[in-house]
Amino acid sequence: MTNEELWKAVLGEMELSLTRANFTTWFKNTSVLSKDKNAVVVSVPNGFIKEWLENKFNKRILESIRNQNPEIREVRYTIGRPKIELARRDFSNVLLEKELESESDSGADKDIDGATNLNKKYTFESFIVGSNNELAHAACLAVTKNLGKLYNPLFLYGGVGLGKTHLLQAIGNKVLGENSSKNILYISAEKFTSNITETIMNRTIEDLKSKYAQLDLLIIDDIQFIAGKEKTQEIVFSTFNELYGKNKQIVLSSDRPPQSIPTLEERLRSRFEGGMIADIGIPDFETRLAILKQKSREKNYDFNEETFVYIATHIQKNVRELEGALNRVGAFSQIYNRTPDTKEVKNILNTYLTTPYKKTSPQSILKAVADFYSISGGDLIKRSRKKEVVKPRQVAMFLLREETKLSFPEIGQKLGGRDHSTVIHACEKIKSEVSVDEPLKQELVLIKERVYNSFEK
Ligand code: ADP
Ligand code: MG
């Protein structure tokens, strides 16, 4: 077996046990450099990866190598060839004549700095690290220490309210805190787009472009928003190349990975995938508890353990909601000037918790959907495009996404190995239809009733 074949087998195994983003992050540009009787030397692209493979993956990698070569006792990691740079593009050098305009929403929030759009409250110190965001957090921190040199761009993705903006802002705050002369801009893709529209109307697009071109760190939040917006994509692309060519750092966030953003130009997609991609998942119970306690410290709330446990048990999918619930309990204690007991906490959160939390499983959802639409479980998985099965299948995908912790690719897997983009499409379709289609809404309620009642037995 050649070194190449050996590593391919190892990668194959690792790929199965990791999300696509994590797999790419940790194993892109790795290879087996040499192999002797009892040791294998693996080449990795940089020190950051080296550390993570040594500390987090070594055991699994070794196991996997030993499946092929039982006599191997040790794996060593060494930093290999540097990354090939993107060709630098030429740009006309437009000088900045006007003063740089501020991005802020005219002081809407006193905590937000007008020049950078950074909000001081989002720091690494106030960010709780759990297994759901460990990689993303480490990548963000590493970027602040190697601005423009380690990962460019850094691309974070994950669901709503899971801490993307917090981490993006923390990067900006840390870089600015350590060097106040750095030129930093945090901007939402939505604002980015509206700025471009404005400058097109005012014929000042070149000013805007040269303003972006002078940044040391550009952070664009919710980049999926530029899907389908041609002019904006063009400016993102030229700004990207300009900054990248000068080793200036770009950080992006999205609710989904680059390959799942619809109507994103191929050239942008490949740029976005060219650095580091890290995902953020749903926090586990311990992390939720730690976040609640952290937020309570920030707000000077003083609740008992039972209250925290109650909230962390009942709100699971979204840190923003977790905070919202905490604030409600906080409001109660301010009004009545005392800490509520658990029964009161339950009452306060009752409206927040429209459906009480019950555990479910993918199987019970698939069964409930199939039963409800009088088709077989097999029909959901089959390739058929018949109308009678297409809609139930989309509903199943939607419910799996809403009611379980499965990722889009995992849902695709459960439904006969469909691509995750199909799943995303289905989820979005059902989500938008529910708001206008009353019968469909009712159907979903009924199916959910089946799911949770059957599970209780
Ligand atoms: P997203 O941008 O992913 O939608 P945000 O970054 O806006 O989410 O996070 C929503 C809220 O939850 C913010 O107030 C943020 O501070 C908080 N939050 C999310 N994750 C964490 C965490 N790990 N530790 C502390 N606070 C968090
Ligand atoms: Mg956000």
Side-chain angles (χ1 to χ4, degrees):
M1 182 179 246
T2 66
N3 290 347
E4 210 172 299
E5 285 163 347
L6 169 65
W7 196 236
K8 222 170 144 190
V10 172
L11 292 184
E13 278 188 30
M14 301 308 293
E15 196 171 6
L16 287 179
S17 63
L18 293 169
T19 64
R20 191 187 140 113
N22 286 343
F23 176 75
T24 316
T25 298
W26 306 117
F27 291 97
K28 195 169 77 172
N29 295 336
T30 58
S31 58
V32 165
L33 211 59
S34 63
K35 181 177 82 184
D36 61 27
K37 254 210 338 276
N38 43 33
V40 165
V41 179
V42 174
S43 159
V44 299
N46 58 50
F48 181 68
I49 298 277
K50 178 169 182 277
E51 223 173 274
W52 273 79
L53 293 190
E54 279 168 350
N55 295 329
K56 298 266 170 188
F57 292 104
N58 187 50
K59 198 162 156 259
R60 275 199 265 168
I61 294 173
L62 182 60
E63 257 170 36
S64 172
I65 289 180
R66 285 167 58 99
N67 287 341
Q68 317 292 332
N69 276 321
E71 70 281 13
I72 299 293
R73 300 258 160 268
E74 188 194 1
V75 190
R76 286 193 298 272
Y77 303 88
T78 172
I79 300 170
R81 52 172 196 273
K83 195 166 110 194
I84 303 155
E85 297 277 326
L86 266 182
R88 205 183 145 173
R89 281 184 29 161
D90 266 343
F91 282 89
S92 57
N93 213 353
V94 186
L95 285 170
L96 193 65
E97 286 164 23
K98 281 185 181 181
E99 233 198 24
L100 299 184
E101 93 188 71
S102 147
E103 299 287 345
S104 82
D105 290 328
S106 54
D109 190 328
K110 65 173 170 30
D111 293 331
I112 297 178
D113 171 68
T116 60
N117 288 337
L118 290 173
N119 183 336
K120 285 202 181 61
K121 77 172 188 187
Y122 293 123
T123 61
F124 283 111
E125 288 72 31
S126 64
F127 190 82
I128 302 293
V129 182
S131 55
N132 63 312
N133 56 31
E134 193 180 17
L135 304 179
H137 171 265
C140 289
L141 206 55
V143 156
T144 65
K145 296 188 179 127
N146 303 272
L147 209 61
K149 297 201 188 82
L150 186 61
Y151 290 120
N152 217 3
L154 170 61
F155 190 104
L156 283 195
Y157 78 88
V160 198
L162 294 180
K164 299 183 297 294
T165 298
H166 189 135
L167 277 177
L168 257 50
Q169 288 258 343
I171 293 178
N173 279 318
K174 187 167 167 68
V175 172
L176 191 67
E178 283 167 8
N179 186 345
S180 59
S181 66
K182 288 277 185 219
N183 202 346
I184 299 171
L185 179 66
Y186 164 92
I187 188 167
S188 68
E190 197 170 354
K191 183 84 177 126
F192 191 94
T193 303
S194 67
N195 281 356
I196 287 167
T197 317
E198 259 166 50
T199 54
I200 290 172
M201 283 173 7
N202 303 335
R203 300 172 194 282
T204 50
I205 188 83
E206 292 304 328
D207 294 350
L208 190 70
K209 272 165 98 175
S210 61
K211 174 190 159 178
Y212 292 148
Q214 303 194 3
L215 294 168
D216 297 302
L217 167 59
L218 170 61
I219 303 170
I220 310 183
D221 206 351
D222 292 316
I223 193 74
Q224 77 277 358
F225 188 82
I226 69 169
K229 304 195 170 59
E230 268 171 46
K231 188 67 191 168
T232 305
Q233 294 195 22
E234 190 188 312
I235 309 290
V236 170
F237 184 71
S238 67
T239 304
F240 188 107
N241 287 336
E242 175 81 17
L243 294 178
Y244 187 95
K246 293 191 290 195
N247 283 326
K248 303 298 186 186
Q249 182 71 46
I250 300 140
V251 180
L252 305 163
S253 85
S254 165
D255 64 351
R256 65 199 88 176
Q259 78 268 19
S260 307
I261 302 176
T263 61
L264 182 68
E265 285 176 28
E266 190 47 44
R267 55 184 189 164
L268 269 180
R269 190 191 319 280
S270 68
R271 293 291 188 282
F272 292 174
E273 285 174 344
M276 148 91 103
I277 302 180
D279 66 345
I280 304 188
I282 292 165
D284 59 19
F285 176 75
E286 280 72 28
T287 311
R288 295 199 295 276
L289 207 56
I291 292 173
L292 284 171
K293 290 179 179 173
Q294 163 69 20
K295 299 289 175 194
S296 295
R297 270 194 299 277
E298 283 170 21
K299 292 170 183 161
N300 289 319
Y301 292 155
D302 182 23
F303 302 139
N304 54 27
E305 185 72 12
E306 232 184 321
T307 300
F308 291 132
V309 169
Y310 186 85
I311 301 174
T313 308
H314 288 80
I315 297 181
Q316 306 200 318
K317 292 193 175 172
N318 181 321
V319 180
R320 192 172 294 136
E321 280 178 13
L322 212 54
E323 236 184 307
L326 188 71
N327 288 341
R328 275 187 187 219
V329 180
F332 175 100
S333 58
Q334 264 157 18
I335 294 166
Y336 295 100
N337 209 10
R338 64 181 172 81
T339 313
D341 60 31
T342 305
K343 198 160 157 257
E344 284 166 328
V345 171
K346 273 185 200 166
N347 281 334
I348 297 163
L349 295 189
N350 231 344
T351 43
Y352 224 89
L353 309 164
T354 38
T355 40
Y357 171 67
K358 284 178 202 157
K359 234 178 142 42
T360 185
S361 69
Q363 286 69 29
S364 50
I365 289 178
L366 291 176
K367 182 167 185 324
V369 171
D371 288 352
F372 183 82
Y373 291 108
S374 308
I375 56 175
S376 75
D379 283 334
L380 286 175
I381 290 161
K382 269 194 260 164
R383 288 271 145 198
S384 162
R385 289 180 170 280
K386 269 195 245 139
K387 208 173 120 230
E388 308 86 89
V389 297
V390 168
K391 182 182 155 194
R393 197 180 287 140
Q394 289 175 336
V395 167
M397 290 175 180
F398 175 76
L399 287 175
L400 283 172
R401 183 65 188 175
E402 294 280 306
E403 305 295 317
T404 72
K405 292 182 178 181
L406 292 183
S407 66
F408 292 124
E410 287 167 330
I411 294 172
Q413 214 52 50
K414 291 247 178 288
L415 284 152
R418 288 181 160 77
D419 191 61
H420 66 274
S421 59
T422 311
V423 181
I424 291 175
H425 172 75
C427 292
E428 279 175 356
K429 183 154 179 283
I430 298 294
K431 197 171 174 179
S432 71
E433 276 175 13
V434 164
S435 54
V436 290
D437 186 344
E438 192 56 38
L440 177 63
K441 195 168 156 188
Q442 206 49 43
E443 281 171 28
L444 291 179
V445 171
L446 293 172
I447 295 168
K448 276 199 244 178
E449 267 176 26
R450 282 173 187 244
V451 170
Y452 290 109
N453 292 337
S454 72
F455 199 78
E456 270 182 346
K457 300 247 166 60

